[in-house]
Each structure stands twice: as structure tokens, then as C-alpha cells.
Amino acid sequence: MLTKRIIPCIDVDLNEDGEPAVYTGVNFEDLQYTGDPVEMAKLYNEAGADEFVFLDITASAEGRETMLDTVSRVADEVFIPLTVGGGIRTREDIKETLRAGADKVSINTAALQNPDLVNEGARAFGSQCIVISVDARRRYDEAGEYYAEVDGESCWFECTVKGGREGTDIDVVEWASEAESRGAGELFVNSIDADGTKDGYDVPLTKAVCDEVSTPVIASSGCGGPEDMYEVFTEAGADAGLAASIFHFDEYSIQDVKEYLDDRDVPVRF
């Protein structure tokens, strides 16, 4: 088993004064102020995170640019791989985000609307820089391509856009496979149903994607503790586990999670 990565994530929005701030919510809603993005990035860098994710959570929905000044200040504080997402629509956006200090860009809405952006980004900057993010939600109808059994019911997983605000009728597993074939270097799988609940990752969703692709998969949404990381690694096959709330509110440290996993023979970096 390859070494598993533990990745804290900050969801950044503009506060009422127009200043970047970190927010935490449930099911992509009910956002509450959590802290300053630059200070939080510095703390996670020092805490032993393997990577760090910065998501501008309203840039796509509001049609504005990513907060590159803030990205640059965050990049100055972290010496681990930095992934930045939100509002990235064009090859030039990818270039400017990488120039601001990101090591990778996470693209969701724009890639679904223009899949050629994946090819263009991979060719221009290398597959290792292109992370395709999906905000998935369960659907219990017959419109999907790939189905999973969840609590005795059959469902499929739909890609959504604009921060989960709009559906697309596109099957997550089908899109993940296409994104891989177009050159995506990593897949970032978020579950709207599990987001912020701390009830555990959506293992059926993550496993469905991991079973279909060979590209590394980051599991996101729903982590309530180290046992959830263990489950998504061992039962779904995720390559990395992303968490926010448990780290933001000091319920667990990154070291706590790594020690728990190491005690159960899941390889991690110390």
C-alpha cells in the first residue's frame, strides 16, 4: 500500500468587508466564520500536513476571479504542495494561479462546461498540476450510468456545479473516467450529502470512483475522526483523505490521525 496523504482544507469566501476569510458549513450551507486563511495555512504547515488545499468557494457561482493575492500570501507560508480551486475557467487562469504560488489547480465547473480545458491544462502545465474536482450528490432514479448500493437502495452520483448549487445530469464515475483520459493528474471527490456532517466519508461514492480509475483519488467531505480516514483508505481505496472541521476546531491534530493510522498498518508520512 502506498503512503496515504492527510490534507487539511480551507473554504475561503469574502466577508462582509470584502476580506478573505475561512468558513465551515454543513452540506455546502450554513457557513460560519472559522479564521484567517493565511494564519491557518501557516499552522497546518507546521502541524505536519502532507498537502494543503485552498478553495475559493463562491468564485465560480459569483463569476469572479480567484483571490490570487491571498493565494500568494498563503503560498509564502506553506512548504508543502498547495492546491488552489475556485473560479478557474481558462488556461490563463491556471497559469496565473500557478504563478501566484499554487502547485496544483482544482477545477470543477469550468471543466464540466468545457472538458477540453483538462487537455489544454495537462499539455501546457503537466498532468501533475491538474486536479479535477467533483461535487457529488446521490440520486435515486434511473438517469445514471454507474450505480451503488447504499443502505439497501440503488443510487448513482451526480456532478454538480457552482458550489453544489446546480445539477448537471452527468454521472460522477463516468466523468472521472473521462477526466482521467483527458490528462487529469488527480481527482478530488467531494460529497454534498456528507459535507460537514462528521458522519464519515461517502464510502460508496469514493469506492465507485477508485474502482474505475487509476488516477489518485482524494476523498473529501464528512470526516469525523481518524476512524473515518481509516475506513476510506481501507474500504474505498482512496489515496488521500481531506478534512476541515476536525482540524479547524482542534478535535484532532494531524499527528493524532497519523498515529491512529500507523497503529493500524496504514502507511503515512511522519
Side-chain angles (χ1 to χ4, degrees):
M1 188 187 296
L2 296 176
T3 302
K4 302 298 186 180
R5 292 168 288 150
I6 310 303
I7 306 175
C9 171
I10 56 174
D11 291 340
V12 185
D13 195 1
L14 298 176
N15 64 20
E16 57 187 17
D17 296 321
E19 297 296 324
V22 178
Y23 291 87
T24 305
V26 178
N27 306 133
F28 285 31
E29 298 178 345
D30 301 325
L31 301 178
Q32 297 182 350
Y33 174 77
T34 309
D36 175 77
V38 178
E39 288 303 311
M40 291 180 74
K42 182 177 181 180
L43 288 173
Y44 284 129
N45 181 76
E46 296 169 348
D50 295 309
E51 300 188 14
F52 187 67
V53 172
F54 176 113
L55 298 179
D56 185 336
I57 57 175
T58 58
S60 291
E62 295 176 359
R64 61 172 172 76
E65 301 300 316
T66 311
M67 312 168 187
L68 293 183
D69 286 347
T70 306
V71 170
S72 182
R73 290 191 292 127
V74 165
D76 287 342
E77 297 294 346
V78 298
F79 302 96
I80 50 179
L82 170 63
T83 299
V84 174
I88 296 171
R89 303 175 185 83
T90 65
R91 175 176 161 174
E92 186 64 22
D93 290 340
I94 298 172
K95 177 181 176 181
E96 292 303 316
T97 304
L98 295 173
R99 179 177 289 174
D103 299 285
K104 311 175 193 180
V105 295
S106 174
I107 312 171
N108 182 348
T109 299
L112 282 163
Q113 294 174 339
N114 174 24
D116 287 341
L117 180 60
V118 184
N119 307 59
E120 294 169 8
R123 281 197 302 267
F125 308 104
S127 289
Q128 76 283 354
C129 293
I130 306 302
V131 181
I132 295 304
S133 174
V134 292
D135 293 337
R137 66 182 176 197
R138 296 176 181 177
R139 279 183 52 174
Y140 297 87
D141 56 35
E142 298 179 358
E145 294 291 332
Y146 293 82
Y147 284 80
E149 286 295 318
V150 179
D151 298 327
E153 293 188 78
S154 180
C155 76
W156 63 284
F157 306 98
E158 179 190 25
C159 296
T160 68
V161 295
K162 298 185 178 179
R165 293 168 178 82
E166 296 180 11
T168 64
D169 291 325
I170 296 172
D171 188 295
V172 166
V173 181
E174 185 177 32
W175 169 234
S177 181
E178 179 180 345
E180 178 181 58
S181 70
R182 287 177 175 274
E186 199 159 33
L187 298 167
F188 180 15
V189 181
N190 312 292
S191 168
I192 295 175
D193 302 290
D195 178 67
T197 64
K198 300 184 187 176
D199 291 333
Y201 296 98
D202 190 328
V203 171
L205 163 66
T206 310
K207 187 176 190 305
V209 175
C210 290
D211 285 352
E212 184 66 20
V213 302
S214 56
T215 301
V217 173
I218 303 171
S220 174
S221 307
C223 183
E227 65 281 359
D228 295 329
M229 291 264 190
Y230 178 80
E231 180 183 43
V232 85
F233 289 149
T234 59
E235 295 188 18
D239 298 275
L242 181 145
S245 299
I246 64 166
F247 296 142
H248 294 348
F249 302 120
D250 297 321
E251 295 169 20
Y252 297 93
S253 68
I254 291 169
Q255 189 73 9
D256 290 337
V257 172
K258 290 189 174 185
E259 289 177 356
Y260 180 95
L261 295 170
D262 184 60
D263 288 344
R264 288 156 181 78
D265 299 320
V266 175
V268 292
R269 301 185 186 102
F270 283 100

